[in-house]
Amino acid sequence: MKQAIQVTVDIVVFTIRDEALQILLVKRGVAPFLGRFALPGGFVRDDESLEQAAQRELLEETGTKNIYLEQLFSFGDLGRDPRGRVVTVAYYALIPSDRAPLVAGTDAAEAKWFSVESLPILAFDHRRIVDYALSRLRGKLEYTTVGFELLARKFTLSDLQHLYEVILNRPLDKRNFRRKIEAQKVLKPLKEWQRTGRKPARLYSFKTT
Amino acid sequence: MKQAIQVTVDIVVFTIRDEALQILLVKRGVAPFLGRFALPGGFVRDDESLEQAAQRELLEETGTKNIYLEQLFSFGDLGRDPRGRVVTVAYYALIPSDRAPLVAGTDAAEAKWFSVESLPILAFDHRRIVDYALSRLRGKLEYTTVGFELLARKFTLSDLQHLYEVILNRPLDKRNFRRKIEAQKVLKPLKEWQRTGRKPARLYSFKTT
DNA sequence: CCAAAAGTGTTAGGAGTACACCCATGG
DNA sequence: CCATGGGTGTACTCCTAACACTTTTGG
């Protein structure tokens, strides 16, 4: 049994920028799909686990470490890569808004943030992967605290609500939202106020304990 | 870039037998882990998708087709297979109780059903895969109708409740359970009664429409 | 007639949702 | 003083959970 299957990881990197949920895409410099935008990713090396491969790609493409990373799904249909048989293990990652690089990528490849509401046509089956990541993120937002991974260490309740609103793409009621967050008992009110804007807003941090 | 990664699929095949949630395991006839039980599975061929590979294995090991199959997770840690670098895409499958083969497997390998409450020590990292499958199945049971995939075409409400009870491993209130199922509007009451037992029980079927 | 499983309603508490006004600040 | 976003409570609905007795049959 000699397989000719190659294994890659691709990563849907989310952040919040300009009041929108955005993902990082890189412009391909080689065929196939030359000039098209694609998800950051690459081949898994023989001496690294799948998660290590995803973390390495993340560091190479964004310079960020220690951020939330979760495996999504594996895509292995025939013909999804015209060069040959490629199985991709997809991940998604969440970069806090204060740590998202302005222009990402250390190498020559052009990397750019796109709002999920206005994505270009993507290479390969990457559009499917993005859609999958979006539905996973939306689902998890409702019953976990993943959302906090997209915020800076200190944030206001309005920041948090806007985060939920851009991800879920619908307005939320302010009082109900605050009650729901309150009930989770995961926020620590700080003795600091954000004095930008009009009335100062209390800052909170996420309880890691 | 020449990878030496092999890709396999492994399947956690569930069924309900003897009032218990059981999974299918095969005894390994070769090293490593010779004599240990392992999940059914095998290498993905170059000319089949991941899902096709899982379906083929399922047919080979159990003789069943057209059953519920869902991808779980991919496992690719270093050293998980002493023979070399192997990435496994794990699936789980649900076989209706009236279609589960008594003694599974058409080839020489010994295959056997085990209650999930009393599993033997498994080969590789298959115990982790089983635990993952179990938590996925339990989770999905609560907010989807996957449970129906484990029942025969006609069943009583008690059958359905017992199914939920053995999977969730806790007793459920009969009246609340029936109300909840009722609310889903997915059952079609049949004009047939199961006359085994004492008082005859109404039979139902799952609305596929 | 008895054992065994089938079938059936009500109540209380908690979660989610809809909804409107006052407050503190900077300009 | 006014524009802007910060902050707060109440009522209704719906879902969940607790709980016990009668019915039908086979042996």
Side-chain angles (χ1 to χ4, degrees):
Chain A
M1 166 83 57
K2 207 72 214 134
Q3 275 180 334
I5 301 185
Q6 301 271 288
V7 181
T8 63
V9 294
D10 285 334
I11 314 174
V12 184
V13 184
F14 289 105
T15 202
I16 303 286
R17 276 166 47 106
D18 305 333
E19 315 258 299
L21 180 64
Q22 306 204 345
I23 66 174
L24 185 68
L25 297 174
V26 293
K27 191 177 245 176
R28 288 182 58 78
V30 295
F33 297 104
L34 182 109
R36 279 274 164 78
F37 280 97
L39 292 172
F43 290 98
V44 176
R45 298 185 185 153
D46 288 349
D47 61 347
E48 63 186 0
S49 70
L50 297 172
E51 177 150 341
Q52 280 164 1
Q55 249 147 12
R56 174 179 53 76
E57 292 290 345
L58 213 39
L59 184 60
E60 290 174 6
E61 307 273 3
T62 70
T64 52
K65 274 173 118 162
N66 299 320
I67 66 171
Y68 184 84
L69 179 70
E70 179 185 325
Q71 192 190 114
L72 267 180
F73 200 79
S74 294
F75 297 83
D77 283 355
L78 297 174
R80 56 180 296 279
D81 188 324
R83 291 166 300 183
R85 187 69 202 284
V86 178
V87 167
T88 287
V89 184
Y91 282 79
Y92 76 101
L94 305 178
I95 302 193
S97 23
D98 60 338
R99 292 174 61 197
L102 266 182
V103 171
T106 51
D107 50 13
E110 186 188 348
K112 208 160 163 279
W113 291 102
F114 288 85
S115 163
V116 295
E117 304 298 329
S118 55
L119 292 176
I121 293 175
L122 300 188
F124 307 105
D125 54 358
H126 286 185
R127 180 65 210 218
R128 240 182 105 205
I129 299 179
V130 170
D131 289 341
Y132 195 95
L134 258 174
S135 67
R136 173 82 64 96
L137 177 60
R138 286 183 177 135
K140 281 220 152 185
L141 202 62
E142 312 261 22
Y143 67 97
T144 69
T145 56
V146 267
F148 295 105
E149 304 289 341
L150 286 164
L151 287 177
R153 213 176 67 263
K154 300 173 182 180
F155 51 86
T156 67
L157 291 178
S158 293
D159 291 337
L160 185 59
Q161 182 172 349
H162 292 144
L163 167 76
Y164 273 70
E165 288 177 333
V166 298
I167 296 178
L168 299 176
N169 203 23
R170 63 186 159 93
L172 299 173
D173 180 86
K174 206 194 327 185
R175 283 167 291 187
N176 294 340
F177 179 79
R178 285 167 186 235
R179 195 184 359 261
K180 185 184 183 138
I181 297 295
E182 171 80 25
Q184 293 176 225
K185 297 184 196 302
V186 289
L187 289 194
K188 186 164 51 193
L190 302 177
K191 291 195 183 62
E192 294 177 65
W193 280 261
Q194 187 180 73
R195 303 187 55 78
T196 151
R198 308 306 175 142
K199 179 173 178 178
R202 177 144 216 162
L203 286 166
Y204 291 80
S205 71
F206 182 55
K207 260 186 215 164
T208 47
T209 51
Chain B
M1 167 85 57
K2 207 74 213 133
Q3 275 179 333
I5 301 184
Q6 302 271 288
V7 180
T8 64
V9 294
D10 285 332
I11 314 173
V12 184
V13 184
F14 288 106
T15 202
I16 302 287
R17 276 165 48 106
D18 306 332
E19 316 257 300
L21 179 64
Q22 307 204 344
I23 66 174
L24 185 68
L25 297 174
V26 294
K27 192 176 245 174
R28 287 182 59 78
V30 295
F33 298 103
L34 181 111
R36 278 275 163 78
F37 281 97
L39 292 173
F43 290 97
V44 177
R45 297 183 184 155
D46 288 349
D47 61 347
E48 65 186 0
S49 69
L50 297 172
E51 176 150 341
Q52 281 164 1
Q55 249 147 11
R56 175 178 52 76
E57 293 289 346
L58 214 38
L59 184 59
E60 290 174 6
E61 307 273 4
T62 69
T64 52
K65 274 172 117 162
N66 299 322
I67 65 170
Y68 185 86
L69 181 69
E70 180 185 324
Q71 192 190 112
L72 268 181
F73 200 80
S74 295
F75 297 82
D77 283 354
L78 297 174
R80 56 179 295 281
D81 188 324
R83 291 165 302 182
R85 186 68 202 284
V86 178
V87 167
T88 288
V89 184
Y91 282 78
Y92 76 102
L94 305 179
I95 301 192
S97 22
D98 61 339
R99 292 174 60 196
L102 266 182
V103 171
T106 52
D107 51 12
E110 186 189 347
K112 207 158 163 280
W113 292 102
F114 288 86
S115 163
V116 295
E117 305 298 330
S118 55
L119 293 176
I121 292 176
L122 300 188
F124 306 106
D125 54 358
H126 287 186
R127 180 64 210 219
R128 239 182 104 203
I129 300 179
V130 170
D131 289 341
Y132 195 95
L134 258 174
S135 68
R136 173 82 64 97
L137 177 61
R138 286 182 177 137
K140 281 219 152 185
L141 202 62
E142 311 260 23
Y143 67 99
T144 69
T145 56
V146 269
F148 295 105
E149 304 289 341
L150 285 163
L151 288 177
R153 214 177 66 264
K154 300 173 182 181
F155 52 86
T156 67
L157 291 179
S158 293
D159 291 339
L160 185 59
Q161 182 172 348
H162 291 144
L163 168 75
Y164 273 71
E165 288 177 334
V166 298
I167 295 178
L168 299 176
N169 202 24
R170 63 186 160 93
L172 299 173
D173 180 86
K174 206 194 326 185
R175 284 167 291 186
N176 293 339
F177 179 79
R178 284 167 186 235
R179 191 177 8 254
K180 184 186 185 135
I181 296 295
E182 170 81 25
Q184 293 176 225
K185 295 184 196 304
V186 289
L187 289 194
K188 187 163 50 194
L190 302 176
K191 290 196 184 61
E192 294 177 66
W193 279 260
Q194 187 181 72
R195 302 187 56 77
T196 151
R198 308 305 175 141
K199 180 172 176 178
R202 179 143 214 164
L203 286 166
Y204 290 79
S205 71
F206 183 55
K207 262 186 214 162
T208 47
T209 51

